[in-house]
Amino acid sequence: MTEKKAYGSGGRGEAVEFYRPEDYAPEESMGYLMRMILSEVKQQVEQELEACGLTHAQWVPLLKLYLGQASTVAEVARGCQLDAGATTRLLDRMEAKGLLRRVRSEEDRRVVHIELTEEGRRAASRIPEVLSRVQNAHLAGFSAEEWNTLKSYLRRILANAQALAAQGEKNP
């Protein structure tokens, strides 16, 4: 006899499995729905930022630099979930477009800081406006309470995913 793993709670302590192999419908899965939403939002953002001359690959690190969430190649790579080689090539293209410059650290010559140019700051300053407009359009019809509830659900799913990943790292 195999033990069933409970993934949810029915509110009275009983275990709930939201998906079952015998009636699994991919188009009703959490992953499919989130991927489709992300794809639609990404496409709309790309269309709007294309007018600013930015690709998806470029606006994400540009925003991280603008918001102070990254300042080195390694931080950009981590923040954008890219390998160091891909990040270096991407930053090369962005530097050639005049959006950023590399500045070697005076304290540690091995460290290279990334700084936005004036043109890079101008381009980056438009990104939050586009993201806000696109995401608000996708949330049309939601109340503030519904939006806060949705965020709490998404954070819970993310926490579950991170816990599963950490568990997998402990038990490869």
Side-chain angles (χ1 to χ4, degrees):
M1 176 181 243
T2 60
E3 183 178 317
K4 274 192 165 182
K5 190 170 185 178
Y7 293 101
S9 172
R12 293 188 183 99
E14 70 269 13
V16 176
E17 287 186 332
F18 299 105
Y19 299 102
R20 296 188 321 253
E22 60 272 12
D23 60 3
Y24 186 81
E27 65 279 358
E28 292 297 319
S29 75
M30 163 187 76
Y32 174 84
L33 294 169
M34 286 194 288
R35 189 173 60 249
M36 293 302 295
I37 292 165
L38 186 58
S39 177
E40 294 294 330
V41 169
K42 180 183 170 196
Q43 183 178 17
Q44 185 67 39
V45 169
E46 283 179 351
Q47 282 178 342
E48 294 208 23
L49 287 175
E50 194 175 298
C52 301
L54 297 174
T55 66
H56 176 75
Q58 294 169 343
W59 75 256
V60 174
L62 197 65
L63 182 63
K64 294 206 175 288
L65 291 163
Y66 181 72
L67 295 176
Q69 296 173 347
S71 65
T72 65
V73 175
E75 290 171 348
V76 170
R78 259 191 313 278
C80 296
Q81 298 178 329
L82 297 170
D83 65 59
T87 303
T88 297
R89 290 186 298 277
L90 172 62
L91 294 175
D92 286 345
R93 289 189 299 275
M94 293 173 68
E95 190 170 27
K97 284 179 87 169
L99 298 171
L100 56 85
R101 65 179 151 263
R102 291 175 169 99
V103 179
R104 192 161 298 278
S105 170
E106 292 185 18
E107 293 83 39
D108 185 345
R109 302 289 294 157
R110 297 169 295 179
V111 177
V112 177
H113 292 281
I114 311 298
E115 294 178 355
L116 294 178
T117 62
E118 187 58 40
E119 185 177 341
R121 276 190 294 284
R122 208 172 20 259
S125 71
R126 297 180 192 135
I127 298 169
E129 178 188 330
V130 169
L131 294 174
S132 295
R133 184 173 49 253
V134 169
Q135 291 181 66
N136 282 332
H138 284 79
L139 291 166
F142 280 76
S143 69
E145 182 180 351
E146 289 170 327
W147 166 228
N148 286 320
T149 300
L150 175 61
K151 282 192 301 187
S152 74
Y153 293 158
L154 293 170
R155 286 187 182 116
R156 191 180 332 162
I157 292 169
L158 178 59
N160 288 343
Q162 290 169 335
L164 289 168
Q167 185 179 20
E169 290 171 7
K170 291 179 188 172
N171 307 318

